[in-house]
Amino acid sequence: MPRWSERADRAPLLAFTDSCLRGIGQILFANNPLSGLLILCGIFAASPWLGVATLVGVVSSTATAHLLALDRSRIRAGLYGYNGALVGGALATFLLPAWSPSLLLYAVVASAMSTFVMVAVSLVLVDQFHLPPLTLPFNLVTLPCLLVSFTTTHLQRSPMLVRHVEGPINTVLRESASGVAGSQAGALLEAVLRGVGQIVFADVPLAGVLILLGLLVWSRIGALFALVGSVVGLLVGMLLGGDGHDAYHGLWGYNGMVAAEALAGVFLVWDWRTALYGVTGAAASTGLYAGLAALFGPLGLPALTLPFCLATLVFLALKNASPVFRAVPLPKVTSPEEHLRLLRSPLSAPPHGMENRDEERERRGLR
Amino acid sequence: MPRWSERADRAPLLAFTDSCLRGIGQILFANNPLSGLLILCGIFAASPWLGVATLVGVVSSTATAHLLALDRSRIRAGLYGYNGALVGGALATFLLPAWSPSLLLYAVVASAMSTFVMVAVSLVLVDQFHLPPLTLPFNLVTLPCLLVSFTTTHLQRSPMLVRHVEGPINTVLRESASGVAGSQAGALLEAVLRGVGQIVFADVPLAGVLILLGLLVWSRIGALFALVGSVVGLLVGMLLGGDGHDAYHGLWGYNGMVAAEALAGVFLVWDWRTALYGVTGAAASTGLYAGLAALFGPLGLPALTLPFCLATLVFLALKNASPVFRAVPLPKVTSPEEHLRLLRSPLSAPPHGMENRDEERERRGLR
Amino acid sequence: MPRWSERADRAPLLAFTDSCLRGIGQILFANNPLSGLLILCGIFAASPWLGVATLVGVVSSTATAHLLALDRSRIRAGLYGYNGALVGGALATFLLPAWSPSLLLYAVVASAMSTFVMVAVSLVLVDQFHLPPLTLPFNLVTLPCLLVSFTTTHLQRSPMLVRHVEGPINTVLRESASGVAGSQAGALLEAVLRGVGQIVFADVPLAGVLILLGLLVWSRIGALFALVGSVVGLLVGMLLGGDGHDAYHGLWGYNGMVAAEALAGVFLVWDWRTALYGVTGAAASTGLYAGLAALFGPLGLPALTLPFCLATLVFLALKNASPVFRAVPLPKVTSPEEHLRLLRSPLSAPPHGMENRDEERERRGLR
């Protein structure tokens, strides 16, 4: 949408709105304001309070980036918004009470912090290792912010945030903790869609549908692999014998979803090998989710998207050591289809035919 | 004090004493032997045993640096002493019994280790990211050294080192755990001064006064922001609803204190924006203190200065990404006033007037 | 053995076998197939199931490296095998039941992951800091894989993997938890040999003997310091007052063993100072073991070789900052004796005698 972008750039408020919508889209790598809008609708469909907190988060972190005069093109791409949006959503999910002004203020401060942490994480990952920061800043800000509720009295924890020891695990796919299974096929579909929604804490199937629609606007490959990743996550969870209540509510799916997207076409150029790699990465992220859940449970913390971040960074680190994959340089990341187009497009002026293709590709930054 | 420095350099023992005193000063960034002496007096005022352990620590880590033939100018600036001093103090605070020779031996070994860890941390932070190691080596050495007491029998823990689950939190500012509040104004003043003292485990108001005097010898801006940081920490603690017994004993203040100092004038050139930044960083450090205390409590560990280190590193990472602040290059760090003088001083030979100022500044390394 | 190497390189299956055997040897830095074979015999002597799992691990991780077309010379040196071998052994040790096909499948997947993590860890440690990855990838893969058993039902934990709070510690050296001491000298010898064996989870003295023989084939200095390191570890454990049952079973020895080897001659050129440094590093690793055991115990996790990795990396980071040690560049690491030979060998063409020695040494990469 070059036209919209240009129009937005002329009006500061419109540009800011555009940056924020892209920020919400960037949670799932979709640098597209319409994707952001549809994802936001999905969040509001799950809970208006969750929607407001997410909005507050993305506005606060994007505004902080402006205040610090950070790189304008990165702000406009939503890169200083997605972590803040998630921080806002997480605090609204794990702290109480809903609609509390002091909790909103807490979300404003915490989301602003995510911009600082984003700069620090980028200094290490982007500048030194040419790896994307992913949602690591969101995790690094949210985990301490949730921990604060254990040593202070003015923050109230939701029942989700409790230090628990191991109990018996019931693997039956079910809606309520003590419930029984309904239709297996329906439950599986719900689990997959809720898995998509859980990336933004939206625990209803409709949110999953709206998010997938939002991704479709940006990239068909992206939307497909988001769905595939959620399915892979659910299957790994069932294969390992994870809790069926968690599985039904999508907790086994969301890490795999973003991992599959990231590896299958966003940071590596899509082909059958990266497709396979995306599925493998989704499985690894889900395995790591099971591990980190066991580590964080006794501390009273959720694993958030840390499993996705760590597994995906490890898988992406391979891009320099192995000749099997074509990496997309970070500043050129747009969408899986665009990367393919850039790679396949006829050369601007091919003087000596095929031989120059590789050079040309290198010039375009696609190895 | 160029004269004293020169005299000290001619006599090895005097030079070593000078290095050690600067080491104690460097706990609060004061590269000045007189500051170190006054801070040491503060520590002795709190507890002679604490003072001896701190001395043993700074001597052991500085001697280790000599033994390993590390960079002489860094040794002389006390940079291989401050972590050792803190390790000695921490072991004397959290382990028992006082005046035990075997505990002193343990402190000698642990402080020597801090020099090794300082080299390793500097390899990453200083060499790769131009960020200061702060007191990270102290934390990385002390935490395992305290943990050892849980799996062995020859080290005795103080009652402060106990694995605790959450209990009710009493926010009333008070001296003893089960006590009631006295005069509120007096308690607040005590809390602020103890907050200053707690950076060296000195839990008496007099130590806070002596430390502030020590800082004044080195820098008025430094001393002011140390005080401001302790106040900010206390306020954040009360705002969040932290435990009033901890607040009274300065535990909410010491992280904010050093964070404010570091950001307001030590590693960034002082102006009204870094002043604000120092206050923000003090608040963030204190928030992180609340979070890490919740993480470390069930493990039986204190948070030490880890909150300060992590928050300050994140805030300093911004210096390359944002044009808002002027960073002081690490080798040129002396005192906030000296940085201002260097920046503002008339140029040595200004041939074309104002235009060359920026170049000259760049040449002096102050962007 | 240049001849064997050449013959192996001509036959793919032989080359793969050779890579795997070197992989097992590399657990203790022995890039030598015969060492690997003797170490493998030691593992089988302790338990055939442990041997099979180790083999499955080394084959899976080495095959994964081939699949990803990673650097061939590194594969042939066993560098993509040793972490996988340890992952296989660890899962066979801490999970149940023995000889279970699904557990073997889990080991195949986890060992394959170790190759991915090896690439990521090398990107940071080797490429940025010229430090060896050691067995860090093994730890980073195994700890989450063990944690998974706490949140899922299809993996069964061995009784070794239990979340425990502190109980009384009995320092008497003894075979069974509730047992009494036998002959002190015999128990000490057993503890030292089991300490050597525990690096590959082989808890029998015979394994220790076979491993030491395997090391002798590769390097006398290496074998000597492995033994010295295990002794130092045991002594530090007894000095601190560690549990006598753990000490008897070698748990205080294995971290010190590899640390002593690494520092005394593998990554630094052997002389009396590195010998002392190896002993110091072994003691530091063992102290860190005590600390990490206290951290990991309540989480139900073993400390694995994390103490060795962290302590050794810190000690090796010194090689650039201190002129005291001669570092061996990572690509030139072979065996302590070979490093000495390279350093001491008469120069190819010494035109001006002694003066050129240093240049020549530098050219050979041995500072």
Side-chain angles (χ1 to χ4, degrees):
Chain A
M1 298 198 246
R3 262 189 174 169
W4 160 257
S5 247
E6 277 166 37
R7 261 179 65 189
D9 275 340
R10 279 195 297 270
L13 198 67
L14 208 60
F16 187 78
T17 309
D18 183 65
S19 303
C20 286
L21 287 177
R22 284 174 195 270
I24 293 174
Q26 284 278 15
I27 298 171
L28 294 111
F29 312 112
N31 181 357
N32 182 309
L34 193 54
S35 303
L37 194 62
L38 279 162
I39 294 169
L40 188 63
C41 290
I43 302 173
F44 268 95
S47 145
W49 162 237
L50 182 67
V52 168
T54 303
L55 266 180
V56 161
V58 75
V59 167
S60 166
S61 63
T62 307
T64 304
H66 275 292
L67 214 68
L68 294 167
L70 300 180
D71 182 76
R72 203 178 147 72
S73 71
R74 287 175 62 83
I75 297 180
R76 288 294 284 108
L79 293 177
Y80 292 110
Y82 68 97
N83 285 294
L86 287 170
V87 168
L91 297 189
T93 302
F94 295 109
L95 296 180
L96 291 176
W99 302 107
S100 136
S102 66
L103 189 46
L104 267 188
L105 183 69
Y106 193 57
V108 168
V109 173
S111 304
M113 279 302 128
S114 80
T115 297
F116 290 80
V117 177
M118 177 69 174
V119 170
V121 168
S122 300
L123 178 72
V124 179
L125 288 183
V126 180
D127 297 3
Q128 291 285 316
F129 300 110
H130 309 294
L131 292 171
L134 303 176
T135 47
L136 212 49
F138 150 61
N139 291 279
L140 294 179
V141 167
T142 303
L143 291 173
C145 282
L146 295 180
L147 276 169
V148 168
S149 68
F150 288 92
T151 47
T152 59
T153 53
H154 296 171
L155 291 168
Q156 223 179 306
R157 283 194 298 285
S158 96
M160 263 179 279
L161 223 61
V162 65
R163 293 182 170 170
H164 56 79
V165 284
E166 314 123 54
I169 296 170
N170 177 354
T171 59
V172 174
L173 213 59
R174 65 206 190 281
E175 189 175 359
S176 64
S178 59
V180 291
S183 133
Q184 198 61 8
L188 282 172
L189 181 65
E190 276 218 30
V192 168
L193 288 176
R194 283 171 193 267
V196 173
Q198 278 286 9
I199 191 69
V200 288
F201 310 103
D203 186 11
V204 295
L206 177 58
V209 173
L210 284 166
I211 289 170
L212 288 174
L213 280 177
L215 289 180
L216 263 179
V217 170
W218 159 70
S219 157
R220 275 169 303 166
I221 295 177
L224 174 66
F225 274 84
L227 192 62
V228 166
S230 181
V231 170
V232 168
L234 180 62
L235 290 182
V236 169
M238 294 173 78
L239 199 74
L240 288 169
D243 188 79
H245 180 246
D246 289 358
Y248 179 88
H249 287 282
L251 295 182
W252 286 92
Y254 68 96
N255 279 290
M257 173 183 63
V258 258
E261 244 191 298
L263 295 171
V266 172
F267 298 109
L268 303 172
V269 181
W270 195 86
D271 63 17
W272 68 267
R273 280 169 304 196
T274 62
L276 207 68
Y277 205 50
V279 169
T280 315
S285 291
T286 309
L288 194 53
Y289 166 77
L292 289 186
L295 187 67
F296 284 14
L299 301 168
L301 290 175
L304 301 179
T305 58
L306 214 47
F308 148 67
C309 291
L310 298 178
T312 305
L313 285 174
V314 164
F315 274 67
L316 283 178
L318 208 81
K319 67 184 180 185
N320 300 308
S322 165
V324 173
F325 305 110
R326 278 201 192 87
V328 184
L330 288 189
K332 306 213 170 202
V333 167
T334 49
S335 73
E337 281 82 1
E338 188 62 26
H339 304 151
L340 283 174
R341 210 169 300 136
L342 208 59
L343 189 75
R344 286 178 184 159
S345 65
L347 304 177
S348 42
H352 306 295
M354 288 297 283
E355 294 91 331
N356 266 32
R357 285 225 147 194
D358 275 0
E359 278 177 38
E360 176 72 18
R361 268 174 198 158
E362 203 148 302
R363 205 155 49 79
R364 291 179 193 177
L366 293 167
R367 305 177 302 104
Chain B
M1 299 196 240
R3 261 188 172 170
W4 160 258
S5 248
E6 277 167 36
R7 261 179 67 190
D9 276 340
R10 280 196 296 270
L13 197 65
L14 209 58
F16 187 78
T17 309
D18 183 65
S19 303
C20 287
L21 286 177
R22 284 173 195 271
I24 293 174
Q26 285 277 15
I27 297 171
L28 294 111
F29 312 112
N31 182 357
N32 182 310
L34 193 53
S35 302
L37 195 61
L38 280 161
I39 294 169
L40 189 63
C41 289
I43 302 172
F44 269 95
S47 145
W49 161 238
L50 182 66
V52 167
T54 303
L55 267 179
V56 160
V58 75
V59 166
S60 167
S61 62
T62 307
T64 304
H66 275 292
L67 214 69
L68 294 167
L70 299 180
D71 181 78
R72 202 178 149 70
S73 72
R74 287 174 63 80
I75 298 180
R76 287 294 283 108
L79 293 177
Y80 292 110
Y82 69 96
N83 285 294
L86 286 171
V87 169
L91 298 189
T93 302
F94 296 107
L95 296 179
L96 292 176
W99 302 108
S100 135
S102 65
L103 189 47
L104 268 187
L105 183 69
Y106 192 57
V108 168
V109 173
S111 303
M113 279 302 128
S114 80
T115 297
F116 289 80
V117 177
M118 177 69 173
V119 170
V121 169
S122 299
L123 177 72
V124 179
L125 288 183
V126 180
D127 296 4
Q128 291 285 316
F129 300 109
H130 308 294
L131 291 171
L134 303 178
T135 46
L136 212 48
F138 150 60
N139 290 280
L140 294 179
V141 167
T142 304
L143 291 174
C145 282
L146 295 180
L147 276 169
V148 168
S149 67
F150 288 91
T151 46
T152 59
T153 53
H154 297 169
L155 291 168
Q156 224 179 304
R157 284 194 295 287
S158 96
M160 264 179 280
L161 223 60
V162 66
R163 293 181 171 170
H164 55 78
V165 285
E166 313 124 55
I169 297 170
N170 177 353
T171 59
V172 175
L173 213 60
R174 64 207 191 280
E175 190 175 359
S176 65
S178 58
V180 291
S183 134
Q184 198 62 6
L188 282 171
L189 181 66
E190 276 217 31
V192 169
L193 289 175
R194 283 172 194 267
V196 174
Q198 279 287 10
I199 192 68
V200 288
F201 311 102
D203 186 12
V204 296
L206 177 57
V209 173
L210 285 166
I211 288 170
L212 288 174
L213 281 178
L215 289 180
L216 263 180
V217 171
W218 159 70
S219 156
R220 276 168 302 166
I221 295 176
L224 175 66
F225 274 84
L227 193 62
V228 166
S230 183
V231 170
V232 169
L234 180 61
L235 291 181
V236 169
M238 293 173 78
L239 200 74
L240 288 169
D243 188 79
H245 180 245
D246 288 358
Y248 180 89
H249 287 284
L251 294 182
W252 286 90
Y254 67 96
N255 279 291
M257 173 182 65
V258 259
E261 245 191 298
L263 295 170
V266 172
F267 298 111
L268 303 172
V269 181
W270 194 86
D271 62 17
W272 67 267
R273 283 169 302 198
T274 61
L276 208 66
Y277 205 50
V279 169
T280 315
S285 292
T286 308
L288 194 54
Y289 167 77
L292 289 186
L295 187 67
F296 285 14
L299 300 169
L301 290 176
L304 301 179
T305 59
L306 214 47
F308 148 67
C309 290
L310 298 179
T312 305
L313 284 174
V314 164
F315 274 66
L316 283 178
L318 207 80
K319 68 184 179 184
N320 299 308
S322 165
V324 172
F325 306 109
R326 277 201 193 87
V328 183
L330 288 189
K332 305 213 171 202
V333 167
T334 49
S335 74
E337 283 81 1
E338 188 62 26
H339 304 153
L340 283 174
R341 210 169 299 135
L342 208 58
L343 190 75
R344 287 178 183 157
S345 65
L347 304 177
S348 42
H352 307 295
M354 288 296 285
E355 295 89 332
N356 265 33
R357 285 226 147 194
D358 274 0
E359 278 177 38
E360 175 73 16
R361 267 174 200 157
E362 202 148 305
R363 204 155 51 81
R364 290 178 193 178
L366 293 168
R367 302 176 303 107
Chain C
M1 299 198 241
R3 263 188 172 171
W4 160 255
S5 247
E6 276 167 38
R7 262 179 65 189
D9 275 339
R10 278 196 296 270
L13 197 66
L14 208 60
F16 186 78
T17 308
D18 182 65
S19 301
C20 286
L21 286 177
R22 284 174 197 270
I24 293 175
Q26 285 279 16
I27 297 172
L28 294 111
F29 312 111
N31 181 356
N32 182 310
L34 193 54
S35 302
L37 194 63
L38 279 161
I39 294 169
L40 189 62
C41 291
I43 302 173
F44 269 96
S47 144
W49 162 238
L50 182 66
V52 167
T54 303
L55 266 180
V56 160
V58 75
V59 166
S60 165
S61 63
T62 306
T64 303
H66 275 292
L67 214 68
L68 294 167
L70 300 180
D71 182 76
R72 202 179 148 71
S73 72
R74 286 174 63 82
I75 297 180
R76 287 295 283 107
L79 292 177
Y80 292 111
Y82 67 96
N83 285 295
L86 285 171
V87 169
L91 297 188
T93 302
F94 295 108
L95 296 180
L96 292 176
W99 302 107
S100 136
S102 66
L103 189 46
L104 266 189
L105 182 70
Y106 192 57
V108 168
V109 173
S111 302
M113 280 301 129
S114 81
T115 297
F116 289 80
V117 176
M118 177 69 173
V119 170
V121 168
S122 300
L123 177 72
V124 179
L125 289 182
V126 179
D127 295 4
Q128 291 286 316
F129 300 109
H130 308 293
L131 292 170
L134 303 176
T135 47
L136 214 47
F138 149 61
N139 290 280
L140 294 179
V141 167
T142 304
L143 290 174
C145 282
L146 295 179
L147 276 168
V148 168
S149 68
F150 287 91
T151 46
T152 58
T153 52
H154 296 171
L155 291 168
Q156 221 180 308
R157 283 194 298 286
S158 96
M160 263 179 281
L161 223 59
V162 66
R163 294 182 169 168
H164 56 78
V165 285
E166 313 125 55
I169 297 170
N170 177 354
T171 59
V172 174
L173 214 59
R174 65 207 192 280
E175 189 174 359
S176 64
S178 59
V180 291
S183 135
Q184 198 62 7
L188 282 171
L189 181 65
E190 276 218 29
V192 168
L193 288 176
R194 284 172 193 266
V196 173
Q198 278 287 9
I199 192 69
V200 288
F201 310 103
D203 185 11
V204 296
L206 176 59
V209 173
L210 284 166
I211 289 170
L212 288 174
L213 280 178
L215 289 179
L216 263 180
V217 171
W218 159 70
S219 156
R220 275 168 304 165
I221 295 177
L224 174 66
F225 274 84
L227 192 64
V228 166
S230 182
V231 170
V232 168
L234 180 62
L235 291 181
V236 169
M238 294 173 78
L239 200 73
L240 288 170
D243 188 78
H245 179 246
D246 288 358
Y248 179 88
H249 288 281
L251 294 182
W252 286 91
Y254 67 96
N255 279 290
M257 173 182 65
V258 258
E261 245 191 298
L263 296 170
V266 172
F267 298 110
L268 303 172
V269 181
W270 194 86
D271 62 17
W272 67 268
R273 282 169 303 198
T274 61
L276 207 67
Y277 205 49
V279 169
T280 314
S285 293
T286 308
L288 194 53
Y289 166 77
L292 290 186
L295 187 67
F296 284 13
L299 300 168
L301 291 175
L304 301 178
T305 59
L306 213 47
F308 148 67
C309 290
L310 298 179
T312 305
L313 284 174
V314 164
F315 274 67
L316 283 178
L318 207 80
K319 68 184 179 184
N320 300 308
S322 165
V324 172
F325 305 109
R326 276 201 193 89
V328 184
L330 287 189
K332 305 213 171 202
V333 167
T334 49
S335 74
E337 282 82 0
E338 189 62 26
H339 305 153
L340 284 174
R341 211 169 297 135
L342 208 59
L343 189 75
R344 286 179 184 157
S345 65
L347 303 177
S348 42
H352 307 295
M354 287 296 284
E355 295 89 332
N356 266 33
R357 284 225 146 196
D358 275 0
E359 279 177 39
E360 175 73 15
R361 269 174 198 157
E362 202 148 304
R363 205 154 51 78
R364 292 178 192 178
L366 293 165
R367 303 177 303 105

